[in-house]
Amino acid sequence: MRTAYQEQLHSLNTILGEMCDLAGSAMERGTRSLLQADLAIAEEVISENDRMNDLATRAEEQAFGLLALQAPVAGDLRGIVSALQIVSDADRMGALALHVAKVARRRHPAKTLPEEVAGYFAEMGRLAVHLARNAREALDSQDPQAAIRLEEDDDAMDDLHRHLFTVLMDREWEHGVASAIDITLLGRYYERFADHAVMIGRRVVFQATGKTLADLDV
Amino acid sequence: MRTAYQEQLHSLNTILGEMCDLAGSAMERGTRSLLQADLAIAEEVISENDRMNDLATRAEEQAFGLLALQAPVAGDLRGIVSALQIVSDADRMGALALHVAKVARRRHPAKTLPEEVAGYFAEMGRLAVHLARNAREALDSQDPQAAIRLEEDDDAMDDLHRHLFTVLMDREWEHGVASAIDITLLGRYYERFADHAVMIGRRVVFQATGKTLADLDV
């Protein structure tokens, strides 16, 4: 039978999972609003960000409650402190998806992305959603292997991000500086989104084992 | 007389202060390396980043120790959890200063910044150093007023950042897209540096009072 403590910890992890799902869904729709210059979807992502803040507040309150009332030690303590850090990461992922939607809204009805780079963002969006899903799975399974898959997806994101810059810096680039600025910032948002998902994976490994990936030598 | 607990908490806060100082110093020199295309200073900032990671690790260990051994409640608990979040913010400030130095190194011996925007970065650098110093002071004094000054400096940073974009997007911009990309990313590094300093201020207020700035209505 589960203790009240385990129930509360489980409930905290459920909120963290919801936060990852919300971040992934926001990034999926943020990318769609960007690729299709769809104002309605952009507005939806922007207005939903309050929900992320509510979840973050609830998660922090639960973590505080667990720390204060249960005075946990060792593994339990590690779990709760990691949870607090995961809240920050997932919250930040949501903020980055919000930034993407805001760029789409700012440029509407124009498309933000010239044809040459649209494919990069479609792929970065797909990877970002995948990373959010894997972060959630890592949380649920507490499996170090899931954390490793996150690192691999992040490498793919970094590659795309680098290639994107070579397209921008090509002499043939004819869409001007304003467009290059948008694309530079957008690229950075996707790259940072991936970084935070990776951090969630690493914190899960620490949560589950008390070790870093390097310690585990996996 | 101080308890062992207070000694340990004091020692933790001392490390956090050192982290803010180090971030400010790295950003001061990072900015100098950027403005003067000075490779030696850039290398110095880059190699010193290990020191920041060491401090972060030490701070996290101390915070964990306090949580595990002392089972603190209420105000003490708040202090330690806030400290853990401040570690992340200060660490990130150091990483952003590192990014600035890396851009300077990548472009050396060329100057990264055309004349028209150098003044913006000199000023953003000055503000960033100021913000790091005020974050440290807020930590030491635990004074909500210090946190408010951080918000004001951040507003000034945001203004500079916006103006910088108007310069980049001017039709007269003649330094090409590659240069605009560098400047866009650099601007973002300074802006995020300021955001993290502001977050430290907010966490100090919460640490000291259990309230947010909005709650305090200051």
Side-chain angles (χ1 to χ4, degrees):
Chain A
M1 214 184 81
R2 276 192 160 173
T3 62
Y5 179 79
Q6 284 169 322
E7 287 291 351
Q8 283 186 52
L9 193 60
H10 178 74
S11 150
L12 171 57
N13 267 326
T14 304
I15 304 178
L16 298 181
E18 272 182 63
M19 291 182 76
C20 288
D21 288 349
L22 192 57
S25 151
M27 200 48 141
E28 188 274 316
R29 286 171 298 151
T31 305
R32 206 140 36 93
S33 73
L34 190 68
L35 291 169
Q36 301 168 5
D38 188 322
L39 185 61
I41 303 180
E43 292 285 9
E44 194 180 287
V45 173
I46 293 163
S47 63
E48 260 186 34
N49 194 245
D50 285 346
R51 167 123 184 86
M52 184 64 105
N53 296 334
D54 290 345
L55 286 171
T57 305
R58 267 178 52 209
E60 284 182 355
E61 282 168 2
Q62 292 227 7
F64 256 94
L66 278 162
L67 283 173
L69 298 176
Q70 314 274 0
V73 292
D76 289 340
L77 176 61
R78 209 166 56 215
I80 300 168
V81 171
S82 296
L84 276 166
Q85 295 171 321
I86 291 169
V87 170
S88 299
D89 286 308
D91 191 39
R92 190 72 205 141
M93 287 164 74
L96 291 161
L98 174 70
H99 286 351
V100 170
K102 282 187 172 172
V103 174
R105 180 171 72 177
R106 198 180 314 134
R107 297 296 168 233
H108 180 84
K111 277 201 182 178
T112 311
L113 302 175
E115 222 36 69
E116 299 99 293
V117 298
Y120 285 89
F121 283 92
E123 183 59 14
M124 290 199 288
R126 197 192 59 75
L127 270 174
V129 172
H130 199 65
L131 278 152
R133 193 177 308 127
N134 277 353
R136 203 240 147 92
E137 278 176 20
L139 271 169
D140 289 347
S141 68
Q142 302 275 305
D143 175 5
Q145 293 300 328
I148 292 165
R149 282 193 295 275
L150 283 164
E151 309 264 348
E152 289 165 359
D153 282 340
D154 183 44
D155 289 342
M157 182 70 92
D158 286 343
D159 280 346
L160 275 167
H161 192 227
R162 256 191 305 275
H163 283 153
L164 177 64
F165 282 136
T166 64
V167 177
L168 283 182
M169 289 194 280
D170 194 294
R171 295 167 170 281
E172 313 281 305
W173 181 258
E174 55 188 15
H175 307 284
V177 169
S179 167
I181 293 174
D182 275 346
I183 294 165
T184 301
L185 287 174
L186 284 166
R188 179 95 186 139
Y189 301 151
Y190 284 88
E191 189 211 359
R192 292 295 300 156
F193 186 97
D195 289 342
H196 285 287
V198 165
M199 286 306 295
I200 291 178
R202 289 186 191 162
R203 298 193 204 284
V204 164
V205 170
F206 185 71
Q207 205 174 32
T209 66
K211 294 192 166 59
T212 63
L213 277 182
D215 289 338
L216 288 176
D217 195 24
V218 280
Chain B
M1 214 183 82
R2 276 192 158 169
T3 62
Y5 179 80
Q6 284 169 322
E7 287 291 354
Q8 283 184 55
L9 194 59
H10 178 74
S11 149
L12 171 57
N13 268 325
T14 303
I15 304 177
L16 298 181
E18 273 182 63
M19 291 182 77
C20 289
D21 287 349
L22 191 57
S25 151
M27 201 47 141
E28 188 274 316
R29 286 172 297 152
T31 305
R32 206 140 36 94
S33 74
L34 190 68
L35 291 170
Q36 302 168 5
D38 188 322
L39 184 61
I41 304 181
E43 293 285 9
E44 197 180 285
V45 173
I46 293 163
S47 64
E48 261 186 34
N49 194 246
D50 285 346
R51 168 123 184 83
M52 184 64 105
N53 296 334
D54 290 346
L55 286 171
T57 306
R58 268 178 52 210
E60 284 181 356
E61 281 167 3
Q62 292 227 9
F64 256 93
L66 278 163
L67 283 173
L69 298 175
Q70 314 274 1
V73 293
D76 289 340
L77 176 62
R78 208 166 56 214
I80 300 168
V81 171
S82 296
L84 277 166
Q85 294 170 322
I86 291 169
V87 170
S88 299
D89 287 307
D91 190 40
R92 190 73 204 140
M93 287 164 74
L96 291 161
L98 175 71
H99 286 351
V100 170
K102 282 187 172 171
V103 174
R105 180 171 73 177
R106 198 181 313 135
R107 295 298 167 232
H108 180 83
K111 278 201 181 176
T112 311
L113 303 174
E115 224 35 69
E116 299 98 294
V117 298
Y120 285 88
F121 283 92
E123 183 59 15
M124 289 198 289
R126 198 192 59 75
L127 269 175
V129 172
H130 199 65
L131 279 151
R133 194 177 307 129
N134 277 354
R136 204 241 147 92
E137 278 176 20
L139 270 169
D140 289 347
S141 67
Q142 302 275 306
D143 175 5
Q145 292 300 328
I148 292 165
R149 282 194 295 275
L150 283 164
E151 309 264 348
E152 289 164 358
D153 282 341
D154 183 45
D155 289 343
M157 183 71 92
D158 287 344
D159 280 346
L160 275 167
H161 192 227
R162 258 191 304 274
H163 283 153
L164 177 65
F165 282 136
T166 64
V167 177
L168 283 182
M169 289 195 281
D170 194 294
R171 295 166 171 280
E172 314 281 307
W173 181 258
E174 54 188 16
H175 307 283
V177 168
S179 168
I181 293 174
D182 275 346
I183 295 166
T184 301
L185 288 175
L186 285 166
R188 178 98 186 137
Y189 301 152
Y190 284 87
E191 189 211 358
R192 292 294 301 155
F193 186 98
D195 289 343
H196 285 288
V198 165
M199 285 308 294
I200 291 178
R202 290 186 190 163
R203 297 192 205 285
V204 164
V205 170
F206 184 70
Q207 207 175 30
T209 66
K211 295 191 163 61
T212 64
L213 278 182
D215 290 338
L216 288 177
D217 196 22
V218 279

